[in-house]
Amino acid sequence: MSKKVIDETHNEENLLCPIRYTIDIVGGKWKLPIICMLASGLPIRYSTIKRKLTGVTNMMLAQSLKELEASGIVHREQYNEVPPRVEYTLTEKGKSILPPLVKLAEWGTDHMQEDKTGATFCATCKSMK
Amino acid sequence: MSKKVIDETHNEENLLCPIRYTIDIVGGKWKLPIICMLASGLPIRYSTIKRKLTGVTNMMLAQSLKELEASGIVHREQYNEVPPRVEYTLTEKGKSILPPLVKLAEWGTDHMQEDKTGATFCATCKSMK
DNA sequence: CAGGATCCTGTTGGATACTG
DNA sequence: CAGTATCCAACAGGATCCTG
């Protein structure tokens, strides 16, 4: 979810565009990998996500998860144990965004190969297909 | 096409992901509106695009068009007349990205209405459906 | 008409340290 | 373990002025 101030003069023209609404939800550096990782449907712990997302900081991961939760894409389940455990899953809304993303992935796969032959693909995204 | 320096440590994990490849192409503030505007298939002049894209500067429009051309999405046809005339059209690759974008738009339309009822939609994007 | 050059600012994302 | 807080660098995008 973009924090940018809505410019009223462009609001109706661009920012309420349903495509941009969708891209805003999955935009940013880490949200797409997170969604891909949760695409299996199984709940995944915070620490597991952090470990598999090479290079992500606690700061960025927590923020991305919070924004995805605010968008209704992921569900956060907190267990009051010691040590604490928090698991994330895709909501129904989150699952429903996968087919459109797969369309994007298919188009990307087709046309990446035209440009740079032999490109390797993100393992998590491949798992969506 | 983003100008950001590619971080080699995340390259294979994220940046060669076909979804991100696709989103990078249509990302940014003006590329989606430009693509929507060209979706009819008719060639459109630079000045016409500029006039219809309220708020865009020459700087941003020229840059967006150049990047879309480099991505193979739009074709630039220059006529050596006085005054100069340049017309833009979607390439075959550009046309082929419309169906995936329509999927995104459909998802966005469905779920925007859950969040904010009565939201108005971008006229150019609606024209794609 | 169709851009380019230069300078500037707000946002995004990262580094590091700390906590319930 | 699962985050926060604070500070900072990089980049996208805009304003203004200039040109073939």
Side-chain angles (χ1 to χ4, degrees):
Chain A
M1 194 169 296
S2 137
K3 270 179 287 187
K4 101 184 101 182
V5 179
I6 292 181
D7 180 342
E8 292 298 334
T9 62
H10 303 142
N11 194 357
E12 296 165 39
E13 287 293 329
N14 300 324
L15 295 180
L16 285 179
C17 161
I19 304 182
R20 196 171 300 274
Y21 166 83
T22 308
I23 290 185
D24 273 355
I25 285 179
V26 302
K29 185 163 181 176
W30 303 106
K31 289 179 193 168
L32 221 29
I34 291 171
I35 292 173
C36 291
M37 193 172 301
L38 294 174
S40 71
L42 299 174
I44 308 191
R45 299 185 59 156
Y46 180 93
S47 56
T48 305
I49 301 177
K50 177 163 165 48
R51 179 164 33 82
K52 294 198 175 180
L53 243 51
T54 317
V56 74
T57 60
N58 278 323
M59 171 90 172
M60 289 312 296
L61 180 53
Q63 180 181 310
S64 301
L65 284 169
K66 195 180 291 180
E67 287 174 4
L68 284 173
E69 192 190 359
S71 307
I73 300 297
V74 307
H75 170 72
R76 179 181 187 275
E77 189 68 41
Q78 179 171 353
Y79 300 89
N80 291 319
E81 307 170 352
V82 185
R85 176 164 63 104
V86 177
E87 288 183 344
Y88 292 90
T89 48
L90 283 189
T91 61
E92 287 308 310
K93 181 175 178 182
K95 290 176 190 169
S96 72
I97 205 177
L98 296 177
L101 291 182
V102 167
K103 290 293 175 197
L104 242 47
E106 289 171 355
W107 186 90
T109 302
D110 290 347
H111 293 87
M112 282 172 81
Q113 291 172 335
E114 293 178 6
D115 300 345
K116 17 177 132 177
T117 42
T120 57
F121 301 146
C122 163
T124 39
C125 289
K126 269 176 84 174
S127 73
M128 288 177 51
K129 308 189 67 176
Chain B
M1 194 167 295
S2 124
K3 272 180 293 186
K4 100 183 102 182
V5 179
I6 292 182
D7 180 342
E8 292 299 334
T9 61
H10 302 143
N11 196 357
E12 296 166 40
E13 287 291 330
N14 300 324
L15 295 181
L16 285 179
C17 162
I19 304 182
R20 196 171 300 273
Y21 165 83
T22 308
I23 290 185
D24 273 355
I25 286 179
V26 302
K29 185 163 180 177
W30 303 106
K31 289 179 194 168
L32 221 30
I34 291 171
I35 292 173
C36 292
M37 194 172 303
L38 295 174
S40 71
L42 300 175
I44 308 191
R45 298 186 59 154
Y46 181 91
S47 55
T48 305
I49 301 177
K50 179 162 165 47
R51 180 163 32 84
K52 293 197 176 181
L53 242 51
T54 317
V56 75
T57 61
N58 279 323
M59 169 92 174
M60 290 313 296
L61 180 53
Q63 180 180 312
S64 301
L65 285 168
K66 194 181 290 180
E67 288 174 4
L68 284 172
E69 191 189 1
S71 307
I73 300 297
V74 307
H75 171 71
R76 179 181 188 275
E77 189 69 40
Q78 180 172 351
Y79 301 89
N80 290 319
E81 308 170 350
V82 185
R85 176 163 63 105
V86 177
E87 289 184 344
Y88 292 90
T89 49
L90 283 190
T91 61
E92 285 309 311
K93 181 176 177 182
K95 290 175 190 169
S96 73
I97 204 178
L98 296 178
L101 290 181
V102 167
K103 290 293 175 197
L104 240 48
E106 288 171 354
W107 187 91
T109 301
D110 290 347
H111 292 85
M112 282 172 81
Q113 292 173 334
E114 292 177 7
D115 300 345
K116 20 177 128 179
T117 42
T120 57
F121 301 146
C122 161
T124 39
C125 290
K126 268 177 84 174
S127 72
M128 289 178 52
K129 310 189 65 176

